[in-house]
Amino acid sequence: MNFSQKTVLVTGANRGIGLALVKALLKRPVTKIYAAARDPSKLPDFGDARVIPLRLDITDNDQVAAANEAASDIHVLINNAGVAAFSSIVDGPIELVERDMNTNYFGTLNVIRRFLPTLQGKTDAAIVNLVTIGAFSNFPILGGYCASKSALFSLSQGIRTELASKGIAVHTVNPGPVDTEMAREFPAEKADTDQTAQNIVVGLENDQADIFPDAMGQQMFETWKSDYRELERMVSDMHHAA
């Protein structure tokens, strides 16, 4: 992927990886970045006229439609917005499981479906879905979140095949724990947010279909490739040691 003269939309750009991605992309010769957030007033001042604030709650159909109309010139859609409930999928509130799925899976799918006509015909068009290494083995402390991200990874595989003939690349990003507000309760060493974002952008430039932008995510994926049950055992040991 060459970001020169490209217009990019980043959802969930007000904090965490989304905010860091906007900063990383500003170091490339992009034409414009739509920085989307449920409340644009919470976006920082990026100090660059190429950043255009955009109101977007990905679970709100009217806002998704309005965002598509406002950002009809994009080449790259980065689906970063999401939620994470620290709750058991077995006996935690079912409402939290539903919120994770409605936002991370159905909300992202809704954005993709709405923006597809916009992306078709664009040079080097791409969809980038922020998943997680937890899509490969469910962390019980984030049971609903991991399940929703597993669904998103499967979705990404499906549309990658379906959209190849339309010239739209599909990438997944699968980090381990990253030092963000969302992950503050996760009991593990966390990767630096800005470095993670930089690694994501480099992965896209290197045309990596599935990006593992931090050391823990890479290590866990290598374990999964070798023996997926071994990764499950690792996660189980982490859970019981916590």
Side-chain angles (χ1 to χ4, degrees), residues 133-172:
I133 195 61
F136 294 82
S137 186
N138 192 294
F139 291 81
I141 192 176
L142 288 161
Y145 171 78
C146 292
S148 68
K149 291 294 191 174
S150 291
L152 180 58
F153 187 84
S154 178
L155 176 156
S156 302
Q157 291 178 307
I159 66 172
R160 181 182 291 158
T161 299
E162 192 169 353
L163 298 180
S165 64
K166 300 181 185 296
I168 301 174
V170 178
H171 304 262
T172 70

Side-chain angles (χ1 to χ4, degrees), residues 44 54-55 74 86 92 108 114 156 159 163 171 180 222 231 240:
L54 186 67
R55 182 180 300 278
I74 69 166
F86 283 81
T108 302
R114 179 65 70 169
S156 302
I159 66 172
L163 298 180
H171 304 262
T180 65
E222 290 302 317
L231 179 58
H240 291 296

Side-chain angles (χ1 to χ4, degrees), residues 1 6 12 25 50 89 110 132 164 168 173 182 197 221 226 241:
M1 185 184 297
K6 294 297 190 300
L25 288 166
R50 291 177 295 169
I89 200 169
N110 190 27
T132 173
I168 301 174
V173 178
M182 181 183 287
F221 179 63
S226 175

Side-chain angles (χ1 to χ4, degrees), residues 61-132:
N61 289 333
D62 291 338
Q63 287 191 24
V64 172
N68 178 54
E69 189 169 329
S72 60
D73 53 345
I74 69 166
H75 302 83
V76 181
L77 170 63
I78 301 182
N79 289 306
N80 168 74
V83 297
F86 283 81
S87 179
S88 166
I89 200 169
V90 175
D91 55 15
I94 192 64
E95 293 81 9
L96 294 180
V97 179
E98 292 171 343
R99 188 188 68 159
D100 282 343
M101 190 64 73
N102 286 336
T103 305
N104 301 333
Y105 178 72
F106 287 110
T108 302
L109 174 58
N110 190 27
V111 173
I112 291 170
R113 290 167 65 103
R114 179 65 70 169
F115 274 88
L116 272 180
T118 296
L119 293 169
Q120 289 184 39
K122 298 286 178 61
T123 302
D124 293 332
I127 296 169
V128 183
N129 292 331
L130 268 290
V131 188
T132 173

